[in-house]
Amino acid sequence: MLTGGGRFLDDLGRDALAAAFVRSTVAHGRVTDVDVSDALDVDGLVAIYTYEDLAAADAEQGTRVAEALPLLIPHPALTHGRTGFALARDEVKYMGEPVVMVVATDRYVAEDVAGRIRVSYETLPAVVGIEQARDGAALVHADVPGNVAAHLVQEVGDARAALAAAPHVLDLDLDVERSACTPLEGKGVLARWHADEGRLQLWSSTQTSTGVRAAVAAKLGLPLVKVDCITPDVGGGFGVKIVHPWPEEVLVPWAARLLGAAVKWTEDRREHFVSSAHERRQLQRVRVGFDDDGRLLGLDVTLWHDNGAYTPYGIIVPIITATQLLGPYKPGAYRVEFTSLYTNTVIVTPYRGAGRPQGVYAMERAMDAIAKYLGKDRAEVRATNFIRPDEFPYDQGLTFQDGRPLIYDSGDYPQMLEKLKALVGWDDFPALRQQATAQGRRVGIGIACYVEGTGVGPYEGAHVQVETSGRVNVAIGLTTQGQGHETAFAQIAADVLGVRIEDVHVTSGDTRRFGYAVGTFASRAAVMSGNAVGLAAGKVREKALRIAADALEVSASDLEIVDGDIRVKGAPTTHIPLKTVAVLSNPLRYAFDASAAAATQFAGGGSPDAPPVAEDDEPGLEGTDYYSPVRSTFASGMHAAVVETDPETAEIRVLRYCVVHDCGTLVNPMIVEGQVHGGVAQGVGGALYERIAYDENGQILNASFMDFLMPYSTEVPTIETDHLETPSPLNPLGIKGAGEAGVIPGMAVFASAIEDAEGLTVRRMPISPSELYDLRTAGGG
């Protein structure tokens, strides 16, 4: 990657035709006319398609491309789930929805043609924002009363009775604005149709190659075995690429098959802003009851979630918010209710953190409010409410996003807090503040704690093969977007097999190599595929020791593998190389090299009365296995930040950022550090910079990097980290996930620190200098 050797989607298919899209310029309207007359004479134009063309193709070819896109994750509470079409049918629901597809000889021509196509709309009232959706005066979908997609209540105990009896009760109204993940590489699809084989090959910048393969096969009416989906190098995913199929992932393969030519589409930056997924937007009402020590007695939370125009990914985000809100605490009685609402805006699906930043924000704001009300130390109030180490496994009594019980498997939250306090110098901060105040500076310290459900099922698998050269091939179904899978999974295989990591080669995201998988999301890769690789490598190891034991005439239990050599324990001169065992594992008729010659039928060895391959065996030194968990593992962490706010400009500067994290067994500490650092950068963005702004007509006002702010490296602080390892008892390797850890408490920890520096109340995130200035002027939040 660093030397330019990466192969991303747009590096492929240089000979392919190019697709471009005409997208809706209104947030809500009926399509009354599509005028292509000015576009037809452009040199290089190949085809123009509208929804009517999709419907006609379905009728003629038996495809299903004109049907609504799938609702990927149904849920009983999602009573009015709605999805869009690959190209708009009659009505558009958000600015940026695809209406027309153009195919041309290159992207420049395709864009020119798209610019000449005129789409006329009968404008309908646009529903923008939770407040307007909740009002219900205008509807996004005419058949969805009150714009309510879903409504869900979960309760443990009688929260309202507990609140009525509590000595102290606080009410908080909180607001989290809409944001968007912005991977360096947008979405992209390349498709080739091989008519002689009836085979479709597609490449997609996706987080789930097997999911895209299945969806496209279903839409195009193709046998699954006739569709290959390959994920090349991916320049970031962050959740937006777990949604599938995107309209383009259906349309590009469909056009390639129809035209008998390779077709490619790569998303430009503006397209990503106006047609890919957003996240974060919620209104929250928190009512918390507690005693004189700050101990929680009752918690009643109401959430309103903006899910945008459609719900292709179900209601996973608000479910996660509602359940992960509890963090490392015992809430007493708990009631949570959420309403997921339609708006005429871009769809909302998981963005790194996936509902957890909002939930942690709600709980940690409540913890700070309790501490302020009682005049207690914020860390002390948190410690008072921690689940204790001897209480694991701890059942919170709720149902998590995977449909399984919300049972924490392991952790040590008190020790983690002590580590964080020591790392950031929590107890010494009052003296530092006093010194800063004397210098005319405003500084504050914040803290936030979280628990993260990781490793959600249903399964992942792996195939491990040892070649006669000693090379070890590992194939997994997951895709990778820069998480270091090639290194971490090679480590696991190398450790189990006793070989050098340099000899292990990992392939991911290629359905030709491994066809059964779920995807890379929800901090699940290390837990799921890591354990699958370990199990598959264990099968290979067991077979290798059995074959070696026969060859060396010893017991398999007396053997060990060291640096690719199987040897007798305590007698290393009695040995056989693992690559030789790979030769012996595959009886051959033909010799094509020196190694193969040793395995041919006249090479000797083996009983003439037994078949070359035993009835319960198969040739080759390889194995496949799957890991399927009973339920999720639960990682945890605590962050602390020290900020300085400028007395005049209200600019916010991060002076220190400290992280203590527990993801169970650390496979590769450097990779975990990298994951935490990347997450913290996005947490900084989500707290201080990133927001999507819509006007009252549903027009995005900041659909470019000139207006949508992200932190540069100059805005991301040096990150100080420490680790705690409480291995999960739920999987063989004791792993918990780490991918989203860094971003989860970002809004909460910065709200805490800014509030501490200013003596004001922060209730809305992200917060800009101008908003902080307005808070100062108003005297509070």
Side-chain angles (χ1 to χ4, degrees):
M1 292 289 187
L2 295 177
T3 59
R7 296 282 286 169
F8 297 87
L9 193 286
D10 201 44
D11 293 317
L12 311 176
R14 296 299 176 92
D15 61 334
L17 300 175
F21 292 87
V22 179
R23 299 182 183 276
S24 171
T25 57
V26 302
H28 196 192
R30 294 188 183 92
V31 179
T32 58
D33 184 55
V34 178
D35 184 356
V36 301
S37 55
D38 289 345
L40 296 177
D41 294 331
V42 176
D43 289 340
L45 171 63
V46 175
I48 298 174
Y49 301 113
T50 65
Y51 178 82
E52 285 69 25
D53 297 303
L54 307 185
D58 282 2
E60 294 171 8
Q61 302 168 7
T63 55
R64 296 164 51 195
V65 292
E67 294 181 3
L69 297 169
L71 199 164
L72 293 169
I73 307 178
H75 190 282
L78 183 58
T79 53
H80 293 79
R82 298 291 182 271
T83 61
F85 297 87
L87 292 173
R89 186 190 71 174
D90 302 330
E91 194 172 307
V92 293
K93 303 291 187 182
Y94 65 92
M95 171 198 170
E97 188 164 6
V99 180
V100 182
M101 179 187 188
V102 173
V103 180
T105 50
D106 62 48
R107 183 63 178 263
Y108 298 98
V109 174
E111 293 284 4
D112 287 346
V113 171
R116 291 167 175 258
I117 295 173
R118 300 287 177 261
V119 181
S120 301
Y121 303 95
E122 176 192 342
T123 303
L124 299 172
V127 178
V128 183
I130 290 174
E131 296 86 350
Q132 194 174 355
R134 198 167 53 184
D135 174 73
L139 298 179
V140 176
H141 301 276
D143 59 345
V144 179
N147 294 308
V148 176
H151 179 258
L152 181 63
V153 177
Q154 292 198 65
E155 186 166 13
V156 181
D158 190 336
R160 291 177 173 171
L163 285 163
H168 311 287
V169 176
L170 291 174
D171 293 283
L172 291 77
D173 284 304
L174 306 172
D175 190 335
V176 177
E177 296 193 50
R178 178 178 281 236
S179 185
C181 54
T182 48
L184 282 176
E185 180 198 27
K187 304 193 303 292
V189 190
L190 165 67
R192 293 183 186 275
W193 173 250
H194 301 277
D196 53 342
E197 301 177 49
R199 174 174 293 278
L200 176 72
Q201 280 191 306
L202 68 142
W203 292 257
S204 179
S205 181
T206 181
Q207 292 175 233
T208 172
S209 52
T210 54
V212 171
R213 177 198 191 199
V216 171
K219 285 291 186 182
L220 269 59
L222 294 171
L224 193 62
V225 295
K226 290 293 187 178
V227 178
D228 302 321
C229 183
I230 303 103
T231 301
D233 294 322
V234 175
F238 309 126
V240 70
K241 295 178 183 177
I242 190 58
V243 183
H244 64 281
W246 285 100
E248 301 85 4
E249 287 174 323
V250 173
L251 294 169
V252 170
W254 173 78
R257 184 186 183 190
L258 197 66
L259 297 171
V263 180
K264 183 173 78 171
W265 169 78
T266 54
E267 183 179 62
D268 66 38
R269 186 53 56 183
R270 179 172 172 77
E271 280 184 299
H272 189 83
F273 274 112
V274 303
S275 64
S276 291
H278 300 162
E279 217 237 76
R280 302 293 195 243
R281 178 65 169 141
Q282 287 184 1
L283 292 179
Q284 306 173 332
R285 182 163 296 155
V286 180
R287 187 168 173 80
V288 59
F290 51 97
D291 64 18
D292 292 341
D293 294 323
R295 182 172 289 104
L296 298 176
L297 302 174
L299 184 64
D300 189 359
V301 179
T302 304
L303 307 169
W304 292 271
H305 174 75
D306 179 351
N307 57 231
Y310 302 113
T311 53
Y313 213 73
I315 51 174
I316 290 299
V317 172
I319 290 174
I320 294 175
T321 299
T323 53
Q324 298 278 257
L325 180 149
L326 295 176
Y329 310 116
K330 295 179 284 189
Y334 178 53
R335 182 183 186 276
V336 62
E337 175 182 6
F338 73 73
T339 304
S340 195
L341 295 160
Y342 286 112
T343 59
N344 289 118
T345 58
V346 172
I347 64 171
V348 168
T349 65
Y351 163 28
R352 193 177 193 176
R356 297 176 187 88
Q358 301 95 306
V360 171
Y361 180 66
M363 178 58 92
E364 295 301 298
R365 291 281 70 212
M367 285 292 173
D368 281 353
I370 292 169
K372 182 178 181 180
Y373 178 87
L374 295 174
K376 288 184 173 292
D377 180 89
R378 287 168 288 166
E380 179 187 340
V381 168
R382 286 166 169 82
T384 297
N385 290 284
F386 280 158
I387 298 163
R388 311 301 298 182
D390 60 359
E391 294 180 291
F392 289 97
Y394 189 86
D395 189 349
Q396 289 281 20
L398 303 173
T399 300
F400 191 42
Q401 62 137 316
D402 56 0
R404 300 299 177 99
L406 189 77
I407 301 174
Y408 296 175
D409 47 332
S410 64
D412 191 336
Y413 308 139
Q415 184 183 357
M416 184 177 289
L417 180 61
E418 291 308 309
K419 278 178 168 283
L420 182 68
K421 289 173 64 178
L423 184 62
V424 76
W426 181 269
D427 294 333
D428 298 330
F429 187 75
L432 293 175
R433 185 207 306 276
Q434 187 176 12
Q435 182 181 10
T437 302
Q439 298 168 347
R441 300 166 56 213
R442 298 184 185 183
V443 296
I445 191 169
I447 188 172
C449 310
Y450 65 94
V451 171
E452 178 195 2
T454 70
V456 297
Y459 72 89
E460 289 295 339
H463 179 259
V464 176
Q465 175 197 45
V466 180
E467 293 186 2
T468 58
S469 64
R471 174 188 170 108
V472 179
N473 299 315
V474 175
I476 57 172
L478 286 181
T479 61
T480 185
Q481 302 95 46
Q483 297 93 334
H485 292 165
E486 293 90 341
T487 301
F489 299 145
Q491 279 183 258
I492 292 170
D495 188 57
V496 174
L497 289 174
V499 301
R500 301 183 313 153
I501 190 172
E502 294 85 354
D503 293 329
V504 183
H505 302 265
V506 178
T507 299
S508 63
D510 187 338
T511 61
R512 298 170 301 180
R513 293 289 304 278
F514 204 91
Y516 289 95
V518 180
T520 303
F521 60 96
S523 303
R524 67 189 300 274
V527 178
M528 303 300 298
S529 282
N531 278 285
V533 169
L535 292 169
K539 281 187 172 182
V540 175
R541 177 187 177 90
E542 182 182 357
K543 183 173 184 177
L545 293 179
R546 172 168 52 82
I547 294 171
D550 289 342
L552 297 174
E553 298 182 336
V554 297
S555 171
S557 62
D558 293 331
L559 297 175
E560 61 183 357
I561 311 178
V562 179
D563 291 334
D565 198 47
I566 303 177
R567 64 192 191 188
V568 176
K569 299 173 185 176
T573 56
T574 305
H575 67 100
I576 183 172
L578 184 63
K579 63 182 181 180
T580 303
V581 174
V583 172
L584 299 178
S585 71
N586 184 23
L588 296 173
R589 180 176 179 83
Y590 305 109
F592 44 83
D593 61 16
S595 295
T600 56
Q601 57 194 352
F602 295 109
S607 170
D609 298 322
V613 179
E615 291 182 6
D616 59 349
D617 207 352
E618 56 187 32
L621 190 53
E622 55 189 286
T624 299
D625 212 335
Y626 294 85
Y627 172 67
S628 181
V630 174
R631 57 181 181 272
S632 296
T633 59
F634 286 87
S636 57
M638 299 180 189
H639 292 200
V642 178
V643 304
E644 180 173 358
T645 56
D646 190 283
E648 295 182 359
T649 66
E651 288 181 281
I652 301 160
R653 189 159 66 97
V654 186
L655 302 181
R656 292 188 66 194
Y657 201 99
C658 297
V659 175
V660 179
H661 183 244
D662 177 7
C663 58
T665 303
L666 284 168
V667 175
N668 187 309
M670 184 182 292
I671 287 176
V672 173
E673 292 264 325
Q675 289 278 36
V676 169
H677 288 194
V680 168
Q682 287 184 299
V684 171
L688 304 179
Y689 301 103
E690 299 172 4
R691 75 182 79 205
I692 294 289
Y694 278 95
D695 69 10
E696 68 277 8
N697 298 312
Q699 296 290 316
I700 297 181
L701 301 177
N702 59 338
S704 77
F705 283 149
M706 292 181 67
D707 302 299
F708 179 86
L709 301 182
M710 294 194 305
Y712 296 164
S713 60
T714 49
E715 280 74 58
V716 178
T718 298
I719 301 160
E720 305 165 60
T721 58
D722 195 1
H723 296 280
L724 183 68
E725 290 186 73
T726 62
S728 173
L730 299 181
N731 61 75
L733 297 178
I735 299 173
K736 304 175 187 178
E740 296 165 279
V743 72
I744 291 170
M747 292 188 296
V749 75
F750 281 113
S752 180
I754 294 166
E755 195 170 88
D756 186 51
E758 292 283 327
L760 300 171
T761 302
V762 177
R763 292 286 184 264
R764 183 186 184 98
M765 294 298 274
I767 186 169
S768 67
S770 60
E771 288 165 325
L772 177 55
Y773 183 87
D774 290 341
L775 276 180
R776 288 174 177 174
T777 304

